[in-house]
Amino acid sequence: MTSEPTDEGLLGHVLLPVTDEDDALATAQALEPYEPRSVTALHVVEKGGGVPDKTPVEQSEELATEAYAAVRTVFPDASEHTAYGRDVAETIFEAAAEVDASAIAYRSRGGNRLMQFLSGDVSLKLVTNSDRPVIALPREDGT
């Protein structure tokens, strides 16, 4: 699965994975200076795969609604996409293909190395396994 470059360029259609309202606002604000032409906010609902889901679906969908509203305070015309999956990085890649994103822009969620390892280090998977450009946005706190 490879993504063909579009005439719109790297920032033609950016997929913006977000987790909650605060993260969505901070991530959208970090992307704003780069002036993407089109933005699709993505919320991944993690499925348990035979075990109880990490968060009830209703609660996850409410988080998504709040996150999308926060993104729209920065990008009023942003589209929204909710995806469901066990592997967050793989689900992001699938969503990027579904919406035909030119790039994926994300802001690292932080945390120490142990927490990143235990959570599957989505950042590492994003930058090493993607079939399209991945943009790591700066964090305000420098981490």
Side-chain angles (χ1 to χ4, degrees):
M1 145 170 124
T2 58
S3 177
E4 296 297 322
T6 66
D7 291 337
E8 298 176 332
L10 182 66
L11 296 174
H13 181 189
V14 176
L15 183 70
L16 195 67
V18 295
T19 58
D20 59 29
E21 184 177 9
D22 292 338
D23 173 65
L25 182 59
T27 305
Q29 288 172 337
L31 178 62
E32 183 179 29
Y34 303 99
E35 301 177 354
R37 283 192 197 97
S38 174
V39 173
T40 297
L42 168 68
H43 180 80
V44 175
V45 178
E46 289 186 72
K47 301 300 290 173
V51 298
D53 295 337
K54 291 186 177 189
T55 327
V57 172
E58 297 79 21
Q59 183 180 352
S60 294
E61 289 173 346
E62 185 176 318
L63 284 171
T65 299
E66 293 167 355
Y68 299 145
V71 169
R72 284 197 186 98
T73 66
V74 179
F75 299 106
D77 297 329
S79 298
E80 61 184 58
H81 187 84
T82 303
Y84 302 81
R86 287 182 35 189
D87 182 316
V88 174
E90 188 60 37
T91 304
I92 292 170
F93 299 148
E94 290 168 2
E98 286 177 31
V99 303
D100 197 26
S102 57
I104 300 166
Y106 80 102
R107 197 175 63 92
S108 172
R109 305 302 181 247
N112 64 37
R113 292 273 182 218
L114 178 60
M115 286 307 297
Q116 290 176 5
F117 175 74
L118 293 174
S119 68
D121 203 348
V122 174
S123 292
L124 180 62
K125 289 179 182 177
L126 283 177
V127 298
T128 57
N129 297 337
S130 183
D131 66 347
R132 67 197 70 230
V134 176
I135 304 163
L137 299 167
R139 293 179 54 89
E140 287 179 12
D141 59 9
T143 59

